[in-house]
Amino acid sequence: MIRALTLHDVILAAAAMAAGIAAGLLSRVALRWLGVRAQSTRWSGDDIIVDALRTLVPWASLTAGAAAAVGVLPLSGTIRNTVHQVLLAGLILVATVTAARVATDLVRSLALARSGVAGSATIFINITRVAVLAMGILVLLQTLGVSVAPLLTALGVGGLAVALALQDTLANLFAGVHILASRTVQPGDYIRLSSGEEGYVVDINWRNTVVRQLPNNLVIIPNAQLAGTITTNFHQPVRQMSLTVLAKVGYGADLELVETVTNEVAAKVMAEVDGGVPDFEPSIRFHTFGESSIDFSVNLEVCEFSDQYLIKHEFIKQLHQRFQAEGIEVPFPKRTVVLHHQDQDQPPRGRRTTADTGLPKAVLPLQKTDEPPAGDTATLVH
């Protein structure tokens, strides 16, 4: 038989609730202090855990206070069990959401730490969130007395129909998992497809891969297409890459001086310009006797793909200045045109007849009409 509610019961219940609220507030203050200490560490995981505890611990304190208050009140066993189940279900729900947030934040932190630029692998983040929430819901149903075995059986049968209806979506999903698991492409890598698209990988989600081009445009590539195409990854196996700059000098230049000056300029650019590798030793290789020049290439090293543009810009600018200071000629093409006498029966100089072109009854003027005297030689410089 249930006894009547007394003032003593109300005071005890109120004290239990007040104790739970006070414990929640004190835990928030303590966890805030702990969060400040966690920010001073190098590992970002402790920040995520402390931030999650700041949500979970106060709720747990309130739940414990409410459970204690219910325990001192003169309630029937059925009502007491129902209230306890509701409180426990609420605590499990809060713990599940908190655990899902912690897990996804840890996965996101790991993905960002492994990428050179801002990037993420939301496919793993979403899979982690769904897996944690699913396990929490199953535990919640089991706590409430709902059997999960029939539910799992129904999901298994219905999953086959869903898989048949979502073949393309599942193909992209598993292709994205395969890309990340094989480590061929990671968020932050600079890639180029055989079809010509290129840029930084900023996200790999459950359906597509997002690539940000250098002009800041986004290219959306289905995961299945990315997995089945030829891809060049400029960040694998290392981010540093070689850069070749082509140049030429005149035949009258001193090649030893050219090599010395070029190496000095290249070493200076490597040491002073952002994106260069200071300890890299540049090299110069002469390779072709051109029509009006001796061609050579300069091998440089940059930290990653996008650094090549600034390095090449500064190198060409400084090399041109040094060549001018040293008197080294940078040649340009020249052509010699020889004009001959024409007979009396031929058309006037500077014109062609229709017999020359195959066009009927037309006289076509040449581009150049001011010709030197017959037999002279004119040099046209392009």
Side-chain angles (χ1 to χ4, degrees):
M1 182 175 180
I2 303 175
R3 62 182 176 84
L5 181 65
T6 63
L7 179 61
H8 183 265
D9 297 331
V10 175
I11 294 175
L12 290 178
M17 286 296 300
I21 295 174
L25 294 176
L26 290 176
S27 63
R28 290 277 296 183
V29 174
L31 289 171
R32 183 179 294 111
W33 175 85
L34 188 61
V36 174
R37 298 297 180 273
Q39 290 178 355
S40 61
T41 62
R42 298 181 59 184
W43 183 48
S44 61
D46 54 358
D47 300 332
I48 297 173
I49 295 174
V50 171
D51 183 65
L53 291 177
R54 291 176 62 181
T55 302
L56 178 60
V57 173
W59 277 103
S61 301
L62 291 176
T63 302
V70 171
V72 300
L73 293 176
L75 302 176
S76 63
T78 303
I79 295 177
R80 181 177 286 106
N81 291 334
T82 301
V83 173
H84 284 167
Q85 282 190 343
V86 171
L87 292 176
L88 182 59
L91 184 59
I92 292 175
L93 185 60
V94 173
T96 300
V97 174
T98 303
R101 190 176 68 181
V102 171
T104 54
D105 287 344
L106 289 175
V107 173
R108 183 182 293 108
S109 176
L110 180 62
L112 290 175
R114 296 171 61 88
S115 60
V117 296
S120 63
T122 55
I123 182 173
F124 283 162
I125 295 174
N126 293 331
I127 290 176
T128 302
R129 181 184 293 111
V130 170
V132 175
L133 291 177
M135 289 188 292
I137 292 174
L138 292 178
V139 173
L140 177 62
L141 293 176
Q142 191 70 29
T143 303
L144 295 177
V146 179
S147 178
V148 298
L151 179 61
L152 295 177
T153 303
L155 290 177
V157 175
L160 179 60
V162 173
L164 293 175
L166 300 176
Q167 293 185 26
D168 293 340
T169 301
L170 292 177
N172 288 316
L173 173 63
F174 288 111
V177 174
H178 169 72
I179 290 171
L180 291 173
S182 62
R183 299 175 57 84
T184 55
V185 174
Q186 296 291 316
D189 290 351
Y190 193 95
I191 63 173
R192 177 183 296 161
L193 307 185
S194 58
S195 55
E197 294 85 0
E198 62 179 81
Y200 286 101
V201 178
V202 295
D203 185 23
I204 301 178
N205 55 44
W206 60 275
R207 183 172 178 80
N208 50 55
T209 298
V210 182
V211 174
R212 183 181 299 276
Q213 296 179 316
L214 292 181
N216 210 29
N217 302 319
L218 293 181
V219 179
I220 311 301
I221 306 171
N223 292 332
Q225 180 178 346
L226 178 62
T229 190
I230 299 175
T231 305
T232 302
N233 192 335
F234 292 93
H235 284 180
Q236 296 291 343
V238 293
R239 291 182 177 270
Q240 290 186 7
M241 59 172 289
S242 298
L243 170 63
T244 301
V245 181
L246 301 178
K248 57 181 64 179
V249 293
Y251 277 96
D254 183 355
L255 298 187
E256 292 292 337
L257 178 61
V258 170
E259 184 174 5
T260 301
V261 170
T262 304
N263 282 328
E264 291 177 357
V265 173
K268 181 181 178 182
V269 170
M270 288 287 95
E272 298 179 355
V273 181
D274 292 338
V277 181
D279 56 350
F280 177 75
E281 296 183 1
S283 61
I284 174 175
R285 296 292 182 267
F286 297 99
H287 56 78
T288 304
F289 286 102
E291 293 183 356
S292 58
S293 63
I294 296 178
D295 302 342
F296 63 94
S297 60
V298 184
N299 298 318
L300 307 174
E301 189 86 2
V302 295
C303 293
E304 61 108 6
F305 184 87
S306 61
D307 294 330
Q308 62 177 313
Y309 302 105
L310 179 60
I311 294 294
K312 184 182 293 186
H313 164 78
E314 291 294 334
F315 174 73
I316 292 176
K317 185 172 64 175
Q318 296 187 24
L319 184 64
H320 181 258
Q321 293 175 354
R322 282 295 304 274
F323 277 3
Q324 286 185 329
E326 299 291 341
I328 300 175
E329 178 190 5
V330 178
F332 48 87
K334 298 179 180 180
R335 295 291 183 271
T336 300
V337 179
V338 179
L339 304 178
H340 300 281
H341 278 288
Q342 294 182 347
D343 298 334
Q344 294 295 330
D345 55 350
Q346 292 181 347
R349 295 200 312 268
R351 295 182 178 274
R352 292 182 293 179
T353 62
T354 57
D356 299 324
T357 61
L359 299 177
K361 299 180 180 180
V363 179
L364 304 178
L366 292 177
Q367 295 293 330
K368 182 175 181 60
T369 57
D370 296 333
E371 299 180 356
D376 291 344
T377 301
T379 301
L380 304 180
V381 180
H382 299 284

